């Protein structure tokens, strides 16, 4: 019989609450995904994943009930932004329902393919959407990288235990 880890809980049945509790223990990088419809849309994502190097593919999840989903569902391209540790307020703005995400407090410009690009981020990509896959109450979006850029100076913003955090040495 193996030793039980200190503080380990007894098994719990699968549920949305269990999944949320488990993933609060998983630190994730913070990204903002943007797209252009009649108006620009965007949302904060912690589900961004590098899928393949050849061809360069990424994926992210978006709630089917998200205010951004109708535009992402029809968009050809998206912008992907890796946030810097000092961009906590930007992450909160793009995570908050009903926020004026592209208002005066947000510095952005039209990038390649007319994708809204946020200023001051650690890195950005413009990607062509190649698939949208139903996944429970979310959609998994697969996109191929077309162009991008990065700075090497910034430290990333992280999401852990329900809060935005910075790396510590």
């Amino acid at each position: 019989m193996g030793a039980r880890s200190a503080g380990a809980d007894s098994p719990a049945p699968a549920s949305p609450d269990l999944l949320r509790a488990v993933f609060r223990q998983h630190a994730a990088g913070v990204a903002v995904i943007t797209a252009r419809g009649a108006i620009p849309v965007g949302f904060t994502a912690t589900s961004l994943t590098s899928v393949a190097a050849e061809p360069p593919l990424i994926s992210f999840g978006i709630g089917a009930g998200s205010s951004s989903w109708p535009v992402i569902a029809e968009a050809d391209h998206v912008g992907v932004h890796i946030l810097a540790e000092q961009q906590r307020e930007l992450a909160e703005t793009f995570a908050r329902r009903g926020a004026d995400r592209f208002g005066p407090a947000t510095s952005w410009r039209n990038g390649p393919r007319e994708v809204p690009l946020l200023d001051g981020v650690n890195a950005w990509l413009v990607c062509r959407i190649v698939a949208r896959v139903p996944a429970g109450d979310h959609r998994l979006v697969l996109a191929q990288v077309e162009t991008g850029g990065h700075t090497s100076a910034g430290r990333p913003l992280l999401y852990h235990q329900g809060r935005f955090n910075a790396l510590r040495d």
Side-chain angles (χ1 to χ4, degrees), residues 89-90 102-107:
E89 188 174 312
L90 184 64
F102 290 92
T106 302
S107 179

Side-chain angles (χ1 to χ4, degrees), residues 51 56-60 78 80 127-131 141-145:
V51 175
L57 296 170
I58 59 100
S59 71
F60 59 88
V78 292
V80 176
C127 305
R128 180 177 54 84
I129 295 176
V130 297
V141 178
L142 186 66
Q144 185 168 344
V145 176

Side-chain angles (χ1 to χ4, degrees), residues 78-101:
V78 292
V80 176
H81 309 83
I82 307 298
L83 299 191
E85 66 182 348
Q86 70 273 15
Q87 293 178 307
R88 184 174 310 195
E89 188 174 312
L90 184 64
E92 290 169 348
T93 296
F94 277 84
R96 193 171 37 253
R97 284 196 179 274
D100 186 4
R101 296 173 179 163

